[in-house]
């Protein structure tokens, strides 16, 4: 389920205040027939907003095993993760793990891995005869 299914166009922005967002979260969690599932992935915005409190509140009766926190290697993202970890502790949500996404770039040609998100300077880089543009410098991961 996604709020995107409710929009007239995929380019439409969702501009909702707390009560409407929380009502939709409640409807998705309580009124959708999920069937038997092993995992339910809930993608929330970074931080510790009303959405997070709503998910924890509405899922409390479901005996959730815990949260997996997904981050990227930029410092601003890691600051959000530290807050999310603190949030989980305060609401007694076990943390199953932390996943760092987009921490490296694997060249589709030579399979060399580079750490592409470790800086904030835009660069063009050249690997195996192909020019790639990134907002971050490329540094070897090893």
């Amino acid at each position: 389920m996604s709020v995107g299914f409710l929009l007239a166009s995929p380019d439409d922005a969702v501009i909702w205040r707390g009560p409407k967002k929380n009502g939709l979260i409640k409807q998705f969690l309580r009124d959708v027939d999920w069937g038997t599932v092993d995992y339910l992935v809930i993608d929330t915005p970074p931080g510790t907003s009303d959405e997070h409190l709503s998910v924890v509140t509405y899922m409390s009766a479901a005996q959730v095993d815990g949260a997996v926190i997904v981050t990227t290697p930029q410092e601003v993202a890691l600051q959000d993760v530290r807050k999310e970890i603190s949030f989980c502790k305060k609401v007694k949500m076990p943390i199953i793990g932390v996943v760092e996404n987009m921490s490296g770039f694997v060249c589709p040609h030579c399979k060399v891995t580079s750490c592409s998100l470790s800086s904030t300077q835009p660069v063009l880089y050249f690997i195996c005869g192909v020019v790639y543009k990134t907002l971050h410098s490329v540094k070897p991961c090893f």
Side-chain angles (χ1 to χ4, degrees), residues 63-93:
Q63 300 175 348
V64 174
D65 291 330
V68 175
I69 299 171
V70 180
T71 186
T72 56
Q74 297 93 344
E75 182 56 36
V76 69
L78 297 175
Q79 291 170 2
D80 281 336
V81 165
R82 287 191 278 282
K83 291 175 186 173
E84 192 67 35
I85 289 170
S86 173
F87 171 86
C88 287
K89 288 178 180 176
K90 287 180 180 180
V91 298
K92 297 179 176 41
M93 171 70 67

Side-chain angles (χ1 to χ4, degrees), residues 15-26:
I15 304 172
W16 292 352
R17 295 208 181 265
K20 192 164 185 177
K21 288 189 290 186
N22 292 336
L24 182 67
I25 291 168
K26 181 178 180 179

